[in-house]
């Protein structure tokens, strides 16, 4: 997305979300400053519960730029990254790395 980021991360047992976000933002702040950009004051987080399904969250993140018509369905979103472990379960759901048109409904 051109003005925000969506992340889906798995925290380690000794990690907490605010420290991970602080580290992430801290590492990127010098780059943002060079481009005269800055972080928003706050952020929205949502912690998934063990019984909560991962696929709807993944699809929301994956499809966001397609739903906003930043990319057409025949284009691969260049800003998307998924670990090979996670792509193992979600990759087969895609149409050769492209979203299925039915997903956008």
């Amino acid at each position: 997305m051109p003005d925000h980021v969506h992340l889906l991360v798995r925290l380690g047992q000794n990690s907490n979300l605010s420290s991970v976000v602080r580290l992430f933002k801290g590492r990127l702040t010098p780059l943002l400053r060079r481009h005269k950009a800055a972080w928003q004051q706050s952020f929205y987080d949502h912690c998934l519960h063990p019984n909560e399904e991962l696929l709807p969250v993944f699809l929301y993140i994956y499809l966001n730029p397609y739903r906003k018509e930043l990319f057409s369905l025949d284009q691969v979103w260049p800003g998307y990254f998924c670990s090979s472990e996670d792509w193992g379960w979600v990759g087969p759901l895609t149409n050769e790395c492209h979203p299925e048109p039915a997903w956008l409904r």
Side-chain angles (χ1 to χ4, degrees):
M1 297 302 294
D3 63 353
H4 66 279
V5 63
H6 291 273
L7 300 172
L8 181 60
V9 297
R10 182 177 293 132
L11 298 175
Q13 286 184 324
N14 297 326
S15 302
N16 65 55
L17 185 58
S18 51
S19 63
V20 169
V21 170
R22 186 174 47 253
L23 179 62
F24 176 77
K25 287 174 131 181
R27 297 269 171 100
L28 289 176
T29 295
L31 178 65
L32 289 174
R33 285 185 181 143
R34 278 183 280 198
H35 293 278
K36 296 186 169 77
W39 291 108
Q40 207 174 293
Q41 288 295 353
S42 61
F43 65 93
Y44 172 77
D45 63 38
H46 174 76
C47 192
L48 295 175
H49 299 286
N51 60 346
E52 212 169 340
E53 289 201 38
L54 196 55
L55 185 60
V57 177
F58 165 81
L59 287 176
Y60 174 82
I61 293 170
Y62 180 68
L63 296 175
N64 199 267
Y66 295 100
R67 287 188 172 131
K68 298 296 180 183
E69 297 180 351
L70 297 174
F71 299 99
S72 63
L73 291 177
D74 62 342
Q75 293 178 294
V76 175
W77 174 25
Y80 176 76
F81 170 79
C82 184
S83 71
S84 56
E85 176 187 338
D86 288 329
W87 192 252
W89 66 267
V90 79
L93 300 174
T94 68
N95 180 13
E96 296 179 21
C97 298
H98 299 91
E100 295 288 348
W103 290 357
L104 298 176
R105 293 188 200 125

